[in-house]
Amino acid sequence: MDRYLVLPFWLAGQHFAVALESVVRVLPALLSTPLPGAPTTVCGLVNVQGNILPVIDLAQRFGWASAPLALWQPFIWLKTSKRELLLPVEAVAAVLSCAAADFTPAPDPHVPSSLLHGVLRTAEGMLLIQNVEQLLSARDETYLAAALARQGEGDVAD
């Protein structure tokens, strides 16, 4: 692959991106329903067109303070190998096409994080490319699956 297509976004003042192939769409802020027994990285559940989606707090995943959800906050709808989920972020930018030569994959001595797919050099600076498969840890995935099983078919806010 000679080009990478990514969707840049901001969270906690940091500039991130996700691979465009993982993005279903960007949505406006949604009201979530708390999910008892869910891991702390899960803010709750949202019903989007009949799809029950967990809302993931990426700041919490990084060990940062969680920002309060805002009225005009975008949510990125992502697809992982295990599930679809929503990621509330501060802002989203236009899709960016970058040369493969500007991408440094993880794990690399320069990118020592299992939470990242890599780092992308751009004219504006560095983009941390989030590994969508690591939005939930294996433990969080287990807790979420159990909480969802207990929740059953209950009503979830739209």
Side-chain angles (χ1 to χ4, degrees):
M1 176 185 289
D2 59 342
R3 305 291 297 169
Y4 281 102
L5 293 175
V6 296
L7 180 67
F9 66 91
W10 285 263
L11 179 71
Q14 300 297 314
H15 204 182
F16 288 91
V18 288
L20 190 60
E21 64 201 30
S22 300
V23 177
V24 176
R25 66 175 47 132
V26 177
L27 301 168
L30 300 164
L31 179 62
S32 65
T33 299
L35 179 62
T40 58
T41 53
V42 176
C43 305
L45 298 175
V46 172
N47 180 348
V48 180
Q49 300 169 343
N51 297 297
I52 305 301
L53 304 173
V55 179
I56 306 301
D57 183 348
L58 183 58
Q60 177 77 19
R61 180 77 171 109
F62 282 129
W64 301 339
S66 299
L69 295 179
L71 182 60
W72 300 108
Q73 183 171 25
F75 280 39
I76 303 173
W77 184 347
L78 296 169
K79 183 186 294 191
T80 73
S81 62
K82 295 180 182 166
R83 69 178 68 250
E84 293 182 8
L85 44 82
L86 295 172
L87 186 65
V89 298
E90 292 170 4
V92 175
V95 170
L96 184 62
S97 174
C98 300
D102 291 330
F103 179 72
T104 303
D108 176 281
H110 300 102
V111 188
S113 175
S114 62
L115 300 178
L116 297 177
H117 182 63
V119 174
L120 191 60
R121 291 184 305 269
T122 70
E124 292 79 32
M126 303 293 279
L127 273 174
L128 302 173
I129 308 300
Q130 176 63 45
N131 182 343
V132 298
E133 299 300 330
Q134 295 299 319
L135 288 172
L136 291 168
S137 68
R139 182 177 181 213
D140 286 352
E141 187 68 50
T142 300
Y143 285 148
L144 176 59
L148 287 169
R150 283 191 304 273
Q151 181 73 14
E153 296 293 322
D155 290 340
V156 177
D158 286 320

